[in-house]
């Protein structure tokens, strides 16, 4: 199964951009890259997903490397409410998400 | 549009008892999956249902079971509860069969404590 590797934690200052990296060197051609985040005491929340091209939505941007072996979630201006665990996930089978450890993002005021 | 609704939100059970958790997916969504989250193991997939059929199952013992009704609502059951079953149980719903390209929406979860 294709797996993802993320740093355990990252720190950012409020109002600054944040780049959260994810490595997925064994990704297959049909695997979408999904990002979810989980705020304390809540269920995971969808952030963004993409296949090959970079994607933007109101929450974030997703930059996908040309060889698709890595991707970066970009939060353009971090706020205190963005402090959460961010998961990079490859959807392999149906709707089954395989979560790794994720990256705990801490935002300093 | 209402999100994924899980009931109950919090419950305490005794070892050996059984528990049933309920999930109402977003209207129109036909896929429902269940996850267990513990501090030690993180988020782990339990099972997925689509149109009342179990399509995928995670690596959990047979004490964990589920079902989906014709209105897409789902229940999961854990029998003979053990202390290690204490966890946050999350339900997620999605529109179609394959998540590639689909968005999966999670409920707020049911916090189960086994004493």
């Amino acid at each position: 199964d294709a797996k993802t590797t993320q740093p355990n934690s990252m720190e950012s200052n409020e109002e600054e951009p944040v780049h959260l990296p994810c490595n997925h060197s064994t990704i297959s051609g049909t695997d979408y890259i999904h990002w979810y985040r989980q705020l304390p005491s809540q269920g995971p929340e969808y952030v963004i997903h993409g296949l090959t091209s970079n994607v933007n939505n109101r929450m974030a941007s997703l930059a996908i490397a040309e060889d698709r072996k890595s991707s970066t979630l970009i939060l353009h201006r971090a706020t205190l409410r963005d402090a959460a665990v961010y998961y990079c996930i490859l959807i392999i089978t149906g709707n089954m998400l395989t979560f790794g450890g994720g990256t705990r993002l801490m935002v300093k005021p | 549009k209402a999100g994924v609704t899980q009931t109950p939100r919090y419950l305490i059970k005794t070892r050996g008892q059984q528990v049933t958790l309920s999930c109402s997916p977003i209207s129109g969504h036909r896929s429902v999956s269940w996850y267990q989250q513990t501090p030690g193991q993180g988020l782990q997939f339990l099972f997925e249902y689509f149109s009342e059929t179990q399509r995928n199952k995670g690596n959990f013992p047979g004490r964990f079971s589920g079902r989906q009704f014709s209105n897409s609502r789902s229940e999961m059951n854990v029998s003979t509860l053990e202390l290690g079953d204490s966890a946050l149980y999350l339900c997620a719903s999605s529109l179609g069969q394959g998540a590639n390209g689909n968005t999966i929406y999670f409920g707020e979860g049911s916090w189960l404590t086994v004493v």
Side-chain angles (χ1 to χ4, degrees), chain B:
Chain B
K1 184 166 162 179
V4 178
T5 305
Q6 292 188 244
T7 56
R9 289 294 318 281
Y10 305 92
L11 66 166
I12 301 174
K13 291 286 189 177
T14 305
R15 269 183 303 175
Q17 286 186 316
Q18 67 93 25
V19 67
T20 298
L21 308 177
S22 179
C23 173
S24 293
I26 291 172
S27 178
H29 284 194
R30 296 168 63 191
S31 169
V32 173
S33 351
W34 289 88
Y35 293 80
Q36 181 197 64
Q37 185 170 28
T38 60
Q41 298 297 320
L43 274 153
Q44 292 186 287
F45 171 80
L46 279 158
F47 25 67
E48 181 205 353
Y49 289 87
F50 184 86
S51 294
E52 302 178 67
T53 301
Q54 187 181 89
R55 296 201 305 145
N56 292 297
K57 190 176 191 305
N59 189 25
F60 279 82
R63 299 184 298 107
F64 291 81
S65 63
R67 60 177 176 169
Q68 186 180 32
F69 303 95
S70 59
N71 61 0
S72 293
R73 194 177 67 83
S74 177
E75 288 181 348
M76 68 162 284
N77 184 277
V78 187
S79 62
T80 320
L81 284 165
E82 301 176 359
L83 295 179
D85 297 332
S86 295
L88 175 64
Y89 289 88
L90 291 156
C91 172
S93 78
S94 180
L95 191 60
Q97 289 193 46
N100 274 336
N102 287 333
T103 299
I104 297 175
Y105 298 88
F106 283 82
E108 293 192 338
S110 293
W111 289 90
L112 170 66
T113 301
V114 182
V115 297

Side-chain angles (χ1 to χ4, degrees), chain A residues 30-32 34 36 38 41-46 49 87 91-100, chain B residues 31 33 35 37 43 45 48 55-56 90 94 96-104 106-108 111:
Chain A
T30 57
D31 291 337
Y32 275 72
H34 290 245
Y36 284 76
Q38 188 172 23
S41 301
Q42 293 188 25
E45 174 188 30
Y46 169 80
H49 74 274
Y87 296 97
I91 305 296
I92 312 297
T93 306
N95 289 320
M96 183 176 80
L97 297 172
T98 301
F99 287 85
Chain B
S31 169
S33 351
Y35 293 80
Q37 185 170 28
L43 274 153
F45 171 80
E48 181 205 353
R55 296 201 305 145
N56 292 297
L90 291 156
S94 180
Q97 289 193 46
N100 274 336
N102 287 333
T103 299
I104 297 175
F106 283 82
E108 293 192 338
W111 289 90

Side-chain angles (χ1 to χ4, degrees), chain A:
Chain A
D1 287 351
K3 297 198 188 307
T4 62
T5 304
Q6 300 176 254
N8 289 335
S9 64
M10 291 184 65
E11 231 177 51
S12 170
N13 293 318
E14 199 176 10
E15 302 294 319
E16 290 185 355
V18 181
H19 290 229
L20 298 167
C22 180
N23 287 319
H24 27 78
S25 58
T26 58
I27 191 171
S28 74
T30 57
D31 291 337
Y32 275 72
I33 302 156
H34 290 245
W35 283 81
Y36 284 76
R37 72 179 185 180
Q38 188 172 23
L39 280 65
S41 301
Q42 293 188 25
E45 174 188 30
Y46 169 80
V47 178
I48 200 167
H49 74 274
L51 183 61
T52 56
S53 304
N54 294 344
V55 185
N56 300 296
N57 66 20
R58 64 174 181 81
M59 287 181 70
S61 295
L62 176 60
I64 301 172
E66 198 170 331
D67 62 6
R68 300 209 329 123
K69 293 186 177 183
S70 65
S71 61
T72 302
L73 178 70
I74 303 166
L75 305 179
H76 296 286
R77 288 179 65 195
T79 69
L80 297 179
R81 289 180 296 177
D82 291 323
V85 178
Y86 287 79
Y87 296 97
C88 168
I89 302 164
L90 304 179
I91 305 296
I92 312 297
T93 306
N95 289 320
M96 183 176 80
L97 297 172
T98 301
F99 287 85
T103 296
R104 182 173 299 278
L105 175 65
M106 292 167 280
V107 180
K108 296 183 292 184

